[in-house]
Amino acid sequence: MKMTNQLATSARRYVCINRLIGQNKQSLICKLGHLMYNIDRGLLHRAFSVFLFDPQNRLLLQQRASEKITFPDMWTNTCCSHPLGIPGETGVELAEAVQGVKRAAQRKLNHELGIKPSQVPISDFKFLTRIHYKAPSDGKWGEHESRLGFPCICDGLLMWRDICS
């Protein structure tokens, strides 16, 4: 299964921009991608959402930081972010992109919640769907993404009780 031309072109552009300017400028590119001015001109980027469930089917939610430029302080899924334009997190074909995003999800779960990759093996991430959406946040900032969704049931998370209490 192939990504649509628009999604594939956007994915390649996103990867190329990151490689050209280097990782230390990643934050600037991400912010430019969230300006409604650019979004209204068709800028689209890849993203993912992780929905982490415990064995009793309870979903772990996270409140976004006040410093976020899009949707600050809002409650959201367990983890959402963007794959970086680095080896292992990219891919033009859907199957390759899904594997890359699973690695990105492991990276962000560790970064945001301290959940180690060994606690959420790639095999536990189940690709659910791909959605395309556009959502303004405050008029200046917003989202325009092709987002991959991954529900994941985590049986062995030792920190689950600490996070949820």
Side-chain angles (χ1 to χ4, degrees), residues 64-133:
R64 291 175 62 84
S66 298
E67 300 79 28
K68 291 283 193 176
I69 60 174
T70 56
F71 309 103
D73 298 315
M74 300 213 40
W75 286 92
T76 186
N77 53 34
T78 309
C79 177
C80 53
S81 191
H82 310 280
L84 299 177
I86 59 175
E89 291 190 14
T90 60
V92 174
E93 298 293 327
L94 183 59
E96 184 184 23
V98 166
Q99 283 303 110
V101 169
K102 287 178 179 182
R103 287 189 211 60
Q106 282 184 315
R107 173 180 53 79
K108 286 307 287 184
L109 284 167
N110 188 24
H111 173 249
E112 291 185 5
L113 298 171
I115 299 172
K116 303 293 181 216
S118 60
Q119 295 177 288
V120 283
I122 284 183
S123 60
D124 285 358
F125 290 94
K126 306 302 179 207
F127 173 55
L128 179 65
T129 190
R130 179 177 63 193
I131 60 170
H132 173 203
Y133 77 98

Side-chain angles (χ1 to χ4, degrees), residues 5-153:
N5 286 341
Q6 181 185 13
L7 297 179
T9 300
S10 176
R12 283 192 295 272
R13 185 179 313 126
Y14 190 71
V15 169
C16 290
I17 288 171
N18 288 334
R19 285 189 183 151
L20 286 173
I21 65 170
Q23 290 300 316
N24 59 344
K25 304 282 175 120
Q26 182 83 31
S27 178
L28 173 64
I29 290 301
C30 289
K31 285 183 179 175
L32 292 175
H34 290 283
L35 280 170
M36 284 308 297
Y37 176 85
N38 293 326
I39 290 169
D40 288 338
R41 281 156 183 72
L43 189 63
L44 173 72
H45 57 269
R46 292 190 297 171
F48 62 86
S49 292
V50 176
F51 302 89
L52 206 56
F53 293 90
D54 72 0
Q56 289 79 41
N57 290 320
R58 294 177 298 178
L59 173 61
L60 177 60
L61 297 176
Q62 179 178 182
Q63 187 174 21
R64 291 175 62 84
S66 298
E67 300 79 28
K68 291 283 193 176
I69 60 174
T70 56
F71 309 103
D73 298 315
M74 300 213 40
W75 286 92
T76 186
N77 53 34
T78 309
C79 177
C80 53
S81 191
H82 310 280
L84 299 177
I86 59 175
E89 291 190 14
T90 60
V92 174
E93 298 293 327
L94 183 59
E96 184 184 23
V98 166
Q99 283 303 110
V101 169
K102 287 178 179 182
R103 287 189 211 60
Q106 282 184 315
R107 173 180 53 79
K108 286 307 287 184
L109 284 167
N110 188 24
H111 173 249
E112 291 185 5
L113 298 171
I115 299 172
K116 303 293 181 216
S118 60
Q119 295 177 288
V120 283
I122 284 183
S123 60
D124 285 358
F125 290 94
K126 306 302 179 207
F127 173 55
L128 179 65
T129 190
R130 179 177 63 193
I131 60 170
H132 173 203
Y133 77 98
K134 183 177 175 182
S137 177
D138 67 356
K140 179 179 180 180
W141 303 102
E143 295 284 4
H144 186 205
E145 300 177 331
S146 172
R147 183 174 289 264
L148 303 179
F150 297 95
C152 183
I153 296 176

